[in-house]
Amino acid sequence: GAGVSQSPSNKVTEKGKDVELRCDPISGHTALYWYRQRLGQGLEFLIYFQGNSAPDKSGLPSDRFSAERTGESVSTLTIQRTQQEDSAVYLCASSLVSEIQYFGAGTRLSVL
Amino acid sequence: GEDVEQSLFLSVREGDSSVINCTYTDSSSTYLYWYKQEPGAGLQLLTYIFSNMDMKQDQRLTVLLNKKDKHLSLRIADTQTGDSAIYFCAESRNAGNMLTFGGGTRLMVKP
């Protein structure tokens, strides 16, 4: 596709449930990033994938958060046992190696 | 750790110039970026500057970098109502690295 695509655009879930968020990067982009944006705040880095290298997970806030990426394509961010403080917009970005990051529109997660 | 700071809010009249300021702490920052976020949308890259540059101009946008003071600014000339959005400053050590973002500056343009 032309840009980074994320789905769903909105997700409402109940506290304690698991959620999966999907990111389709720009075709050919080897790097993929997940960020979290809490209401009224800037973006916090979560995790970074680059090719077949081990991902940089240094930004994941707890072991309830995990992410996978298949090759250089789709990535899923999974949040287990969601808590209200997980409510945020989750943004995905992709880039060529050592190039500018391009962002998707994000998934707005609301945990009730 | 790294920190990026921005003022929360800026209000200008249509046709005036807007100046959005940003300070950062990481002296290893190599790339500095300005992103625009409109309501309900993702981040749109506006412009970026390498740390070995002092200024970059792109149409109505002018970026100034004072590396000594770790201060970055974005000037929007002839601001329009369509420029109303949240503007984020971000930095990275390399273009392929994670970005560290400021909290964003909400720009309101009054007609």
Side-chain angles (χ1 to χ4, degrees):
Chain A
V4 178
S5 177
Q6 291 188 246
S7 61
S9 54
N10 285 283
K11 175 72 176 177
V12 180
T13 191
E14 293 178 351
K15 180 181 171 181
K17 296 283 180 69
D18 297 351
V19 295
E20 275 192 1
L21 312 180
R22 177 186 169 109
C23 174
D24 282 272
I26 294 172
S27 178
H29 280 193
T30 56
L32 186 147
Y33 311 76
W34 283 98
Y35 294 85
R36 176 173 70 178
Q37 184 180 24
R38 287 186 162 135
L39 185 64
Q41 298 184 21
L43 279 72
E44 306 168 75
F45 166 75
L46 296 177
I47 188 169
Y48 161 51
F49 295 91
Q50 173 57 54
N52 293 321
S53 302
D56 177 353
K57 304 180 181 179
S58 60
L60 293 179
S62 78
D63 59 8
R64 297 187 295 104
F65 288 71
S66 62
E68 292 184 349
R69 186 180 188 194
T70 307
E72 293 182 353
S73 61
V74 171
S75 175
T76 56
L77 176 70
T78 302
I79 309 173
Q80 295 178 308
R81 305 181 303 281
T82 51
Q83 304 295 312
Q84 288 184 332
E85 67 259 25
D86 299 333
S87 296
V89 177
Y90 290 82
L91 287 152
C92 175
S94 72
S95 73
L96 295 169
V97 175
S98 299
E99 293 290 336
I100 303 302
Q101 296 176 35
Y102 293 90
F103 283 80
T107 294
R108 183 175 298 276
L109 176 65
S110 300
V111 182
L112 304 180
Chain B
E2 304 96 358
D3 196 17
V4 180
E5 300 282 343
Q6 298 179 241
S7 53
L8 287 176
F9 187 76
L10 176 65
S11 178
V12 300
R13 293 206 175 275
E14 190 173 18
D16 288 350
S17 292
S18 307
V19 179
I20 302 171
N21 294 301
C22 171
T23 58
Y24 60 98
T25 58
D26 187 358
S27 57
S28 299
S29 296
T30 306
Y31 292 76
L32 296 126
Y33 308 83
W34 285 103
Y35 282 87
K36 176 183 181 183
Q37 186 178 40
E38 294 180 274
L43 271 71
Q44 173 194 355
L45 177 67
L46 286 179
T47 187
Y48 64 95
I49 189 169
F50 299 117
S51 61
N52 62 357
M53 298 169 64
D54 297 324
M55 185 183 85
K56 181 178 180 181
Q57 186 152 3
D58 183 1
Q59 299 182 338
R60 294 191 297 121
L61 305 179
T62 303
V63 178
L64 296 177
L65 174 61
N66 181 329
K67 194 174 180 183
K68 174 176 171 290
D69 293 339
K70 299 190 184 68
H71 182 268
L72 182 74
S73 68
L74 174 69
R75 179 178 181 270
I76 306 173
D78 186 25
T79 314
Q80 303 297 306
T81 54
D83 295 325
S84 294
I86 300 176
Y87 290 81
F88 290 94
C89 168
E91 62 87 18
S92 69
R93 293 189 179 185
N94 293 293
N97 279 14
M98 65 157 185
L99 299 173
T100 300
F101 283 84
T105 299
R106 182 178 294 275
L107 174 65
M108 177 181 290
V109 183
K110 299 177 182 176

